[in-house]
Structures are given as structure tokens and as C-alpha cells.
């Protein structure tokens, strides 16, 4: 009778509570910024556009909860995995090893940025490393958009510029921000 009562409580009464816990463990939520539009002159020459760059970030929570596969004798231990990840990030991104190791210590965090504005070739090399070693979720790469001006400072006083967040700060870039369109 006690077991039946407990099962009823878990499956019926507390169902919403446990379902929310499961969903929180299975999903991660990230915000994605909209891409800014292109700017052309009256002859349809491109004056401003976007290029794709990547943000590389780690999940200290997932790294510190890493468990090697029991049926894989070649799987690295948790400490070996941390060293491999740190070594690869330092080698490929040219970041400071001590900074990476400090980010590993933030064990309750799911997102610690290692480097922004990474080129596509570097991002591809990191993706390959992640797939080869089964480090999915520990090293993450997200595409971001960066403003690019093909003619440099040509008409810069009119076109304006964006800040590091991609928001227009001056000129046409400022006038046609996403909030005002």
C-alpha cells in the first residue's frame, strides 16, 4: 500500500515538478541576435554587410561532470579531458592557459566565453576536435554576425558604425536599428 501510494504521488501528484526538472536537464537556451541588413549606394554597390564569425565557449558544469565511457578503455579520465581541452583551446585560439583553467573552476556555469570573432577555419578545427574526442557540450561554438565594410572608411560619416553588440551607434547604422524598423 505504501509503494502504491508513493508511486501515485510521484507520477500523478508531483508529475509537473519532476517533468520540469527533466526538461531543465535536457535543454539549454541561448539567445541569437538577428542579422543586420546590407547597405547599398544608389548604384547598388555594397557599402556594409555582415560576415559570419564564431564565439567559442565552454560549459564548466559539463566539463566537471564528465564521466568517461565505461566500455571504452581509451576514454580519457576527467583530468585528462580537462588538460586536452585546455591544450587545444590554447593551441588553436591562442588564449592564455591560466584564464581557461580559471573558467573551468566555475562549476555551476553552462557558458563561459573563451574567445569571440573566431574565423570559420578555426571553428571547424575545434568542431573536429570535439567530435573526435566526444566532448560535445563541453566546448561549444556559436555563429555570430559581424559588420563588414568592404570600402573601409568610404562614406563612413554617412554610413556610421556599429558597436561590439552589433547595434547601430552612428549614421545610417544608427537610424535603421532593429528596434526602429
Amino acid at each position: 500500500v505504501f509503494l502504491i501510494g508513493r508511486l501515485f504521488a510521484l507520477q500523478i501528484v508531483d508529475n509537473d515538478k519532476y517533468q520540469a526538472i527533466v526538461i531543465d536537464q535536457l535543454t539549454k537556451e541561448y539567445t541569437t541576435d538577428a542579422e543586420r541588413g546590407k547597405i547599398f549606394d544608389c548604384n547598388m554597390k555594397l557599402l556594409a554587410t555582415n560576415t559570419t564569425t564564431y564565439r567559442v565557449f565552454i560549459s564548466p558544469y559539463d566539463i566537471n561532470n564528465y564521466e568517461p565511457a565505461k566500455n571504452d578503455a581509451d576514454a580519457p579520465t576527467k583530468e585528462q579531458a580537462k588538460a586536452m581541452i585546455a591544450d587545444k583551446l590554447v593551441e588553436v585560439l591562442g588564449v592564455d592557459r591560466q584564464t581557461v583553467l580559471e573558467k573551468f573552476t566555475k562549476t555551476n556555469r553552462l557558458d563561459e566565453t573563451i574567445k569571440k570573432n573566431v574565423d570559420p577555419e578555426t571553428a571547424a578545427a575545434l568542431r573536429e576536435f570535439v567530435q573526435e574526442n566526444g566532448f560535445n557540450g563541453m566546448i561549444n561554438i556559436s555563429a555570430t554576425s559581424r559588420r563588414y565594410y568592404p570600402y573601409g572608411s568610404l562614406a563612413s560619416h554617412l554610413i556610421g558604425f556599429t558597436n561590439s553588440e552589433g547595434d547601430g551607434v552612428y549614421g545610417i547604422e544608427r537610424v535603421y536599428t532593429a528596434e526602429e524598423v
Side-chain angles (χ1 to χ4, degrees):
V1 172
F2 173 75
L3 289 176
I4 291 172
R6 185 68 180 135
L7 285 172
F8 180 80
L10 288 172
Q11 294 179 354
I12 307 298
V13 176
D14 295 332
N15 180 44
D16 293 337
K17 173 184 163 186
Y18 291 111
Q19 187 174 19
I21 291 170
V22 168
I23 289 172
D24 285 343
Q25 290 177 347
L26 295 176
T27 59
K28 293 180 184 178
E29 190 172 301
Y30 300 103
T31 57
T32 304
D33 297 326
E35 189 173 290
R36 293 189 54 83
K38 297 177 180 178
I39 298 176
F40 296 94
D41 70 0
C42 63
N43 296 319
M44 294 306 291
K45 289 187 178 180
L46 188 64
L47 299 177
T49 188
N50 299 304
T51 59
T52 301
T53 61
Y54 297 89
R55 179 176 75 96
V56 176
F57 60 101
I58 61 168
S59 172
Y61 177 83
D62 291 327
I63 291 169
N64 286 295
N65 290 319
Y66 169 76
E67 292 292 328
K70 293 179 182 181
N71 58 352
D72 186 2
D74 295 333
T77 65
K78 184 188 298 189
E79 293 307 315
Q80 290 172 332
K82 285 182 179 181
M84 288 172 65
I85 291 169
D87 291 342
K88 192 64 171 184
L89 292 173
V90 169
E91 172 193 334
V92 173
L93 299 176
V95 294
D96 180 50
R97 182 177 176 80
Q98 190 60 36
T99 303
V100 172
L101 294 176
E102 285 173 15
K103 292 183 185 251
F104 283 171
T105 63
K106 299 177 181 181
T107 57
N108 60 338
R109 302 267 307 163
L110 293 173
D111 184 340
E112 280 293 320
T113 299
I114 301 297
K115 188 171 183 180
K116 293 181 178 181
N117 297 326
V118 175
D119 62 88
E121 295 80 21
T122 304
L126 280 174
R127 271 194 204 97
E128 186 178 322
F129 170 75
V130 168
Q131 290 174 349
E132 285 175 359
N133 295 290
F135 293 151
N136 296 327
M138 293 184 231
I139 300 175
N140 302 289
I141 303 164
S142 74
T144 57
S145 184
R146 185 174 187 199
R147 207 60 167 157
Y148 173 67
Y149 302 94
Y151 296 103
S153 63
L154 174 71
S156 60
H157 60 285
L158 180 64
I159 297 170
F161 58 92
T162 60
N163 62 15
S164 62
E165 303 295 318
D167 299 324
V169 176
Y170 184 80
I172 293 173
E173 294 281 13
R174 168 79 170 95
V175 172
Y176 293 105
T177 60
E179 294 84 32
E180 296 174 7
V181 175

